[in-house]
């Protein structure tokens, strides 16, 4: 449940903290504001600014995306997005973000200034690349890297990905394009491997199949290079290394790993060995999962967790098995464990969001929509996703319906109605309204309760609310004569005499002896025929303006035939009188007179 007042207090506290330079406190307060009211785009925008000041471009970007998703017409959202991407050195993406904002807000100075700054940095000299030989030395993305990718069991499947291989090929010809690919963790991973860094944790979320015949992909996609690292034709013949040689080298993969580990201290060597063993357990679990051997798969993932408790992927895969086997409680427990491990070990926000989303789905399957919605909110705070947002909105709608259905109780509705009647007799109109509204929530399809509520709302001068409820009563029971009489009374109070005529006549059509409809029709007819003579000119104009606001009156006046007849009343009375012999035309003229648009006498 949202609490806008509390959210505003936290936002103000965050603003003060940010102005005083206490960025951590600012982020905490903005987060509390979002938890209190996650529908306000300003809170995400402010937190994005705080994250950016704190040097956290990834979180700044996530909040900027949330800002735009909630309110696409808020210009600062695009400024936040562009600034976050700029800080991450994703220059092309930052320019695109600013251009998207400028297309909507062409006069926004912040957007114009932001795009100028990005273009200036993008076109300036490359920074931070000297140590990697990007300025013209050896290219770390040469074919030696493709061989290393093939020989590593974790990266070998990348060779089957056309998008990844296209990036590698581009980097081989233009190493400086790396700045555009920093968002792809696979590129950064293989770059680290090329430069001699250790492999990172396995971020796999879903249960994936084992790698295919990666050497076939390498054979087809390898770009031959010379010993100098430059791209060349096959005709050169110098320094090329074929996939067949790479295949031969694959036999020495395990030996190479052991030799690398001999240079490490015993604790680090043990950690690396456990990570390798954990990955093998995970792969075995994946195979068992595919074979629908769920218990054995879970046991394999438990072995992986015991060997490497810092990798959230193993708990996440476990959760997937529990979900598939419809073990909702175990799935929830595994998802929350995955999130806890992910946060403790700085796993990607997207992976943590996936765990929360699966947790939400498990709660949904259990029928616990409240917790399911809460998990979706956590997922969105980690990494905004449109699909999760849609799922959350659908859950909120379903919860609203289920809560309303659970509240239904005819007995309690009757009790509330009787309390309302007592308050009405004692002229405690406000209390009567509250009791009738409670009764309507308990029994929304009871026309008598709606009729009583309409009467009470009239007493507190809420004529629009009264009309809405009486129309609902008639929708529930079109033969409910009391409701037609009440509708006519409300329309008289709203100065809609032409509508009141129809309501009273409809009621008398159902029950010709109904005293309330008879009396109402007599009074409104008298008002129409004689009331105009007692009105001031200003009152007549006000009445006519009110009538003109009615779409039915507007439709009558727009009819060319009716326009001619109204003209004939002044220029050709005989023709007008002949037209009045037609019952349909006569009814329309009477309606115009009753509304005050056409005045007689």
């Amino acid at each position: 449940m949202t609490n806008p007042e509390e959210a505003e207090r936290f936002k103000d506290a965050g603003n003060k903290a940010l102005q005083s330079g206490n960025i951590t406190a600012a982020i905490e307060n903005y987060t509390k504001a979002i938890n209190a009211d996650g529908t306000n785009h300003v809170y995400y925008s402010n937190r994005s600014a705080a994250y950016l000041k704190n040097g956290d471009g990834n979180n700044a970007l996530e909040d900027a995306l949330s800002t735009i998703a909630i309110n696409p017409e808020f210009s600062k959202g695009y400024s936040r997005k562009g600034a976050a991407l700029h800080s991450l050195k994703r220059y092309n993406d930052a320019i695109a973000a600013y251009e998207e904002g400028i297309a909507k807000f062409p006069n926004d100075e912040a957007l114009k200034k932001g795009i100028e700054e990005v273009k200036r940095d993008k076109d300036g000299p490359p920074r931070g690349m000297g140590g990697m030989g990007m300025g013209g030395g050896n290219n770390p993305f040469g074919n030696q890297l493709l061989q290393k990718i093939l020989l590593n069991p974790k990266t070998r499947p990348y060779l089957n990905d056309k998008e990844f291989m296209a990036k590698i090929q581009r980097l081989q010809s233009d190493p400086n394009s790396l700045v555009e690919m920093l968002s792809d963790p696979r590129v950064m991973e293989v770059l680290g491997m090329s430069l001699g860094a250790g492999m990172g944790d396995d971020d796999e979320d879903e249960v994936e199949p084992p790698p295919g015949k990666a050497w076939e992909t390498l054979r087809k996609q390898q770009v031959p290079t010379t010993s100098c690292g430059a791209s060349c034709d096959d005709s050169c013949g110098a320094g090329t290394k074929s996939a067949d040689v790479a295949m031969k080298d694959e036999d020495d993969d395990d030996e190479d790993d052991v030799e690398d580990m001999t240079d490490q201290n015993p604790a680090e060597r043990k950690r690396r060995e456990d990570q390798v063993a954990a990955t093998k357990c995970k792969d075995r679990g994946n195979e068992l999962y595919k074979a629908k051997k769920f218990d054995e798969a879970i046991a394999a993932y438990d072995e992986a967790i015991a060997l490497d408790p810092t990798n959230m992927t193993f708990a996440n895969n476990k959760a997937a098995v529990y979900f598939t086997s419809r073990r909702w409680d175990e799935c929830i427990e595994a998802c929350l464990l995955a999130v806890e491990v992910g946060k403790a070990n700085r796993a990607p926000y997207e992976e943590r969001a996936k765990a929360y989303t699966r947790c939400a789905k498990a709660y949904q399957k259990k029928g616990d929509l409240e917790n399911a919605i809460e998990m979706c909110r956590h997922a969105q705070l980690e990494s905004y996703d449109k699909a999760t947002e849609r799922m959350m909105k659908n859950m909120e709608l379903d919860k609203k319906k289920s809560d309303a259905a659970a509240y239904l109780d005819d007995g309690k509705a009757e009790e509330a109605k009787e309390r309302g009647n007592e308050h009405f007799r004692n002229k405690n109109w406000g209390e009567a309204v509250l009791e009738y509204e409670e009764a309507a929530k308990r029994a929304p399809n009871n026309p008598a309760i709606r009729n009583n509520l309409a009467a009470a709302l009239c007493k507190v001068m809420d004529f629009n609310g009264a009309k809405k409820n009486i129309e609902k009563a008639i929708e529930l029971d079109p033969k409910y004569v009391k409701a037609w009489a009440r509708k006519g009374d409300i329309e008289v109070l709203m100065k809609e005499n032409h509508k009141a005529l129809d309501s009273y006549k409809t009621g008398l059509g159902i029950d010709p002896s109904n005293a309330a409809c008879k009396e109402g029709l007599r009074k409104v007819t008298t008002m129409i025929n004689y009331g105009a003579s007692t009105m001031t000119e200003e009152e007549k104009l006000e009445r006519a303006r009110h009538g003109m606001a009615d779409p039915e009156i507007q439709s009558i006046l727009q009819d060319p035939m009716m326009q001619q007849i109204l003209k004939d009343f002044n220029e050709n009375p005989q023709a007008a009188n002949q037209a009045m012999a037609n019952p349909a035309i006569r009814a329309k003229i009477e309606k115009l007179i009753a509304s005050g648009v056409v005045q007689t006498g």
Side-chain angles (χ1 to χ4, degrees):
M1 182 178 294
T2 60
N3 189 335
E5 293 181 359
E6 184 181 51
E8 277 297 300
R9 287 197 297 272
F10 285 126
K11 183 203 75 173
D12 293 339
N15 291 347
K16 291 178 182 177
L18 191 62
Q19 290 165 4
S20 65
N22 191 344
I23 300 175
T24 301
I27 292 172
E28 290 175 355
N29 279 291
Y30 291 142
T31 301
K32 290 176 181 177
I34 290 168
N35 290 337
D37 183 7
T39 64
N40 192 317
H41 61 281
V42 173
Y43 306 153
Y44 290 96
S45 175
N46 288 9
R47 193 172 69 172
S48 177
Y51 275 134
L52 196 60
K53 280 182 176 289
N54 207 33
D56 189 346
N58 286 315
N59 266 329
L61 176 60
E62 292 298 334
D63 277 354
L65 294 174
S66 298
T67 303
I68 295 171
I70 295 171
N71 186 359
E73 303 306 317
F74 184 62
S75 63
K76 275 191 179 179
Y78 301 91
S79 296
R80 302 291 191 219
K81 180 180 177 182
L85 289 165
H86 189 176
S87 74
L88 295 170
K89 294 182 172 57
R90 292 168 57 180
Y91 299 117
N92 289 337
D93 291 339
I95 291 171
Y98 282 121
E99 287 177 342
E100 183 183 4
I102 290 171
K104 286 193 169 189
F105 311 99
N107 299 319
D108 191 285
E109 293 300 324
L111 291 168
K112 291 179 182 178
K113 182 179 178 183
I115 197 170
E116 288 175 1
E117 292 176 352
V118 176
K119 288 180 177 178
R120 184 177 64 243
D121 286 356
K122 178 176 183 287
D123 296 335
R127 294 172 291 179
M129 293 297 185
M132 289 188 277
M134 294 293 186
N138 293 331
N139 184 354
F141 293 100
N143 280 346
Q144 293 297 321
L145 175 60
L146 293 177
Q147 179 185 340
K148 290 182 179 181
I149 295 172
L150 176 64
L151 296 179
N152 190 296
K154 180 172 184 284
T155 59
R156 188 182 302 126
Y158 298 171
L159 297 172
N160 294 319
D161 189 323
K162 292 182 180 179
E163 180 185 357
F164 173 78
M165 291 304 297
K167 290 181 179 179
I168 294 298
Q169 289 173 6
R170 182 181 173 191
L171 287 165
Q172 288 175 331
S173 60
D174 179 16
N176 287 325
S177 64
L178 173 64
V179 293
E180 301 174 20
M181 304 181 190
L182 295 177
S183 61
D184 190 334
R186 298 172 303 175
V187 172
M188 301 311 297
E189 181 181 14
V190 298
L191 173 62
M193 184 169 62
S194 173
L195 297 174
M199 295 296 293
D201 290 339
D202 184 1
D203 289 333
E204 178 183 341
D205 174 55
E206 304 296 338
V207 176
E208 299 287 351
K213 296 182 179 179
W215 64 272
E216 293 181 1
T217 303
L218 181 59
R219 185 193 296 274
K220 294 176 182 177
Q221 297 182 328
Q222 183 181 23
V223 179
T225 64
T226 64
S227 58
C228 63
S231 297
C232 65
D233 299 326
D234 288 340
S235 58
C236 171
T240 55
K241 184 169 184 177
S242 69
D244 292 326
V245 178
M247 276 286 293
K248 182 177 183 296
D249 289 346
E250 187 176 359
D251 295 335
D252 299 328
D253 185 33
D254 294 337
E255 183 180 345
D256 290 341
D257 284 342
V258 173
E259 289 174 357
D260 288 341
M261 289 187 224
T262 58
D263 296 331
Q264 301 167 356
N265 62 52
E268 178 63 17
R269 185 164 62 250
K270 178 67 165 59
R271 185 183 72 83
R272 287 288 303 277
E273 290 172 349
D274 286 347
Q275 285 181 338
V276 172
T279 301
K280 290 180 179 178
C281 290
K282 180 205 70 174
D283 292 341
R284 177 159 47 86
N286 293 353
E287 290 299 314
L288 291 165
Y289 172 81
K290 286 168 55 183
K292 300 188 183 303
K293 297 179 179 179
F294 298 138
D295 290 336
E296 293 92 330
I298 289 169
Y301 293 137
D302 282 336
E303 289 181 42
I305 292 170
L307 288 165
D308 182 9
T310 66
N311 192 330
M312 70 174 288
T313 299
F314 308 143
N316 228 354
N317 282 12
K318 224 179 126 175
V321 177
Y322 283 134
F323 190 90
T324 303
S325 55
R326 305 176 67 83
R327 295 158 69 175
W328 313 127
D329 289 330
E330 289 93 335
C331 176
I332 292 166
E333 183 180 355
C335 287
L336 295 178
L337 173 62
V339 171
E340 182 181 344
V341 172
K343 287 183 176 180
N345 295 278
R346 301 178 66 83
Y349 297 106
E350 295 83 0
E351 300 305 311
R352 282 142 56 173
K354 286 179 182 179
Y356 272 130
T357 301
R358 179 178 285 127
C359 189
K361 292 177 180 178
Y363 271 120
Q364 183 185 30
K365 292 291 186 180
K366 283 186 65 177
D368 186 349
L369 291 176
E370 184 173 354
N371 275 315
I373 293 167
E374 187 65 22
M375 291 300 107
C376 285
R377 288 178 180 149
H378 284 307
Q380 294 298 74
L381 289 175
E382 293 288 344
S383 178
Y384 182 83
D385 180 76
K386 288 184 178 179
T388 302
E389 185 71 17
R390 286 194 298 270
M391 181 174 72
M392 182 171 68
K393 294 300 181 186
N394 288 333
M395 286 180 182
E396 288 173 341
L397 183 60
D398 290 342
K399 185 176 185 301
K400 185 176 180 180
K401 291 178 179 178
S402 64
D403 288 348
Y407 204 70
L408 300 181
D409 189 316
D410 289 339
K412 291 183 178 178
E414 191 62 29
E415 292 173 6
K417 176 188 170 187
E418 289 304 320
R419 291 194 299 270
N421 292 345
E422 184 66 25
H423 286 306
F424 195 92
R425 286 190 290 269
N426 294 330
K427 299 183 180 181
N428 296 324
W429 316 124
E431 289 83 352
V433 168
L434 292 175
E435 292 296 347
Y436 288 140
E437 285 178 339
E438 172 68 12
K441 290 177 184 177
R442 295 286 188 180
N445 296 326
N446 187 317
I449 291 174
R450 298 281 183 176
N451 182 51
N452 288 12
L453 176 55
L457 288 169
C458 284
K459 294 296 184 180
V460 297
M461 309 296 285
D462 183 0
F463 301 132
N464 286 320
K467 188 171 183 180
K468 179 181 176 181
N469 276 281
I470 205 63
E471 287 175 346
K472 180 64 177 178
I474 291 171
E475 178 188 332
L476 293 168
D477 184 1
K479 300 294 185 181
Y480 189 22
V481 179
K482 281 186 179 181
W484 284 109
R486 180 82 64 199
K487 184 171 183 287
D489 294 344
I490 295 169
E491 287 162 343
V492 169
L493 292 171
M494 297 179 73
K495 299 180 181 180
E496 296 175 341
N497 292 340
H498 58 294
K499 292 185 177 181
L501 275 176
D502 288 343
S503 296
Y504 291 133
K505 288 177 180 178
T506 302
L508 289 172
I510 298 169
D511 180 7
S513 64
N514 185 270
C517 287
K518 283 183 177 181
E519 181 62 16
L521 183 59
R522 184 189 66 77
K523 286 183 178 180
V524 77
T525 302
T526 301
M527 290 171 64
I528 293 169
N529 293 336
Y530 304 106
S533 62
T534 64
M535 291 183 182
T536 65
E537 288 301 318
E538 186 176 345
E539 289 174 335
K540 289 179 181 179
L541 287 173
E542 176 60 28
R543 182 183 172 204
R545 281 195 293 267
H546 196 81
M548 284 290 293
D550 185 349
E552 185 181 5
I553 297 299
Q554 293 173 11
S555 177
I556 294 172
L557 292 174
Q558 290 169 3
D559 185 343
M561 182 182 293
M562 292 303 300
Q563 291 175 0
Q564 182 60 48
I565 293 170
L566 291 173
K567 187 177 180 182
D568 287 343
F569 273 111
N570 291 324
E571 299 177 359
N572 191 354
Q574 184 176 358
N577 289 331
Q578 289 177 350
M580 288 289 285
N582 185 318
I585 292 175
R586 186 179 187 85
K588 290 181 179 180
I589 294 295
E590 288 176 348
K591 189 159 290 187
L592 293 177
I593 294 171
S595 68
V597 172
V598 172
Q599 299 178 11
T600 61

